[in-house]
Amino acid sequence: MASVSTKLALYDLEGRDGRRLSPFCWRTKYALAHKGLEWEDRPVGFGEIQSIGDGSHRTVPVLDHDGKLIGDSWKIAVYLDQTFQDAPPIFPSLDALHYAQFVERWLFTQVFTAMFPALVRQIHEHAKPEDQDYVRRSRELQLGGMSLEDAEKRGAEGLGAMAVALAPLRAKLADMPYLNGNEPGYADIVAASTFMWARAVYPKKLFPPNDTVIPWFKSILEMHGALGRSAPGYDITGA
Ligand SMILES: N[C@@H](CCC(=O)N[C@@H](CS)C(=O)NCC(=O)O)C(=O)O
């Protein structure tokens, strides 16, 4: 079998004080770690994304594999499985890919959107100073023109909706330790990545005490030598 080079580097979104702000980049870091691959960390601020490679990338993660650049966390995960076939699969079946994608759609439409107003001013606060104008402009556009401060004032309402929207996750985790069953799978990583994003910027508790989400999230933070926990962040679990 042809030997596959493992010179990998990951462009990862960085805020101030080394905070890692992107849920999508978190997914890719867990995907690389799951496959037992080592990678060079290339942190970038929002304003540096357009300087990656030929300048065509608008978002991170971007993976550099021997000079070949691959953007988009889903494409990267599939690429890693196709390229490193001897390493443990991220998607052991097509079903696992579709399940993880469903979890993403649910999360984005029900959970992320509900959390966003409460967190968005904190994203600005935790961005690098040189990125703050861009973060304010782009996020206020996303909010339909509302200021970050006004969004934050409505945050409590959104967090209430988030707590309701988490019911399926909570119920599943009451039955099984992970969305994937007894062992975590990419569906778990996709779901947990949203809370890793929150953990990087949100200095308060996000879950009620005894929430089944807490032990699940904490155990994912501990995976792969505490990959998640060792990054700078707040204790959103309160446990
Ligand atoms: N579908 C993409 C989404 C990536 C994405 O939206 N990344 C955000 C960070 S969370 C980004 O780079 N945003 C740049 C910006 O807001 O200018 C993926 O799965 O990788």
Side-chain angles (χ1 to χ4, degrees), residues 88-99:
I90 296 163
F91 304 116
S93 67
L94 203 53
D95 290 358
L97 171 65
H98 287 299
Y99 177 42

Side-chain angles (χ1 to χ4, degrees), residues 25-215:
C25 294
W26 275 113
R27 295 177 194 179
T28 300
K29 286 179 276 189
Y30 272 77
L32 287 161
H34 175 75
K35 294 199 80 76
L37 297 166
E38 288 183 5
W39 70 96
E40 178 195 325
D41 180 31
R42 293 194 188 151
V44 286
F46 285 92
E48 294 170 307
I49 296 175
Q50 297 196 22
S51 319
I52 299 172
D54 65 2
S56 62
H57 294 277
R58 294 291 171 271
T59 61
V60 281
V62 174
L63 182 74
D64 179 338
H65 182 206
D66 283 338
K68 176 178 172 171
L69 297 183
I70 306 120
D72 186 88
S73 60
W74 290 105
K75 285 194 186 140
I76 295 170
V78 169
Y79 175 84
L80 291 175
D81 268 354
Q82 284 170 349
T83 310
F84 301 100
Q85 294 189 9
D86 292 341
I90 296 163
F91 304 116
S93 67
L94 203 53
D95 290 358
L97 171 65
H98 287 299
Y99 177 42
Q101 286 181 332
F102 170 77
V103 167
E104 174 178 72
R105 306 293 188 268
W106 160 71
L107 207 79
F108 182 74
T109 58
Q110 309 301 308
V111 180
F112 177 89
T113 316
M115 289 161 76
F116 190 66
L119 271 71
V120 67
R121 199 189 64 76
Q122 296 291 352
I123 300 169
H124 175 264
E125 177 86 21
H126 290 82
K128 290 175 192 269
E130 62 270 31
D131 287 330
Q132 286 186 331
D133 283 351
Y134 166 76
V135 170
R136 175 174 289 280
R137 215 175 338 111
S138 58
R139 272 49 187 175
E140 289 185 346
L141 211 61
Q142 245 174 295
L143 290 161
M146 191 188 295
S147 72
L148 303 184
E149 289 72 16
D150 282 350
E152 189 176 42
K153 281 182 204 146
R154 298 191 184 183
E157 200 182 309
L159 290 182
M162 179 202 86
V164 175
L166 284 179
L169 177 63
R170 208 171 277 134
K172 175 72 180 157
L173 296 175
D175 287 345
M176 298 296 287
Y178 297 101
L179 285 178
N180 199 52
N182 282 317
E183 299 295 330
Y186 203 65
D188 292 278
I189 300 308
V190 165
S193 68
T194 303
F195 305 120
M196 291 183 196
W197 162 71
R199 178 185 175 275
V201 300
Y202 192 67
K204 297 183 201 163
K205 285 187 210 169
L206 260 192
F207 311 109
N210 303 324
D211 195 329
T212 56
V213 173
I214 294 175

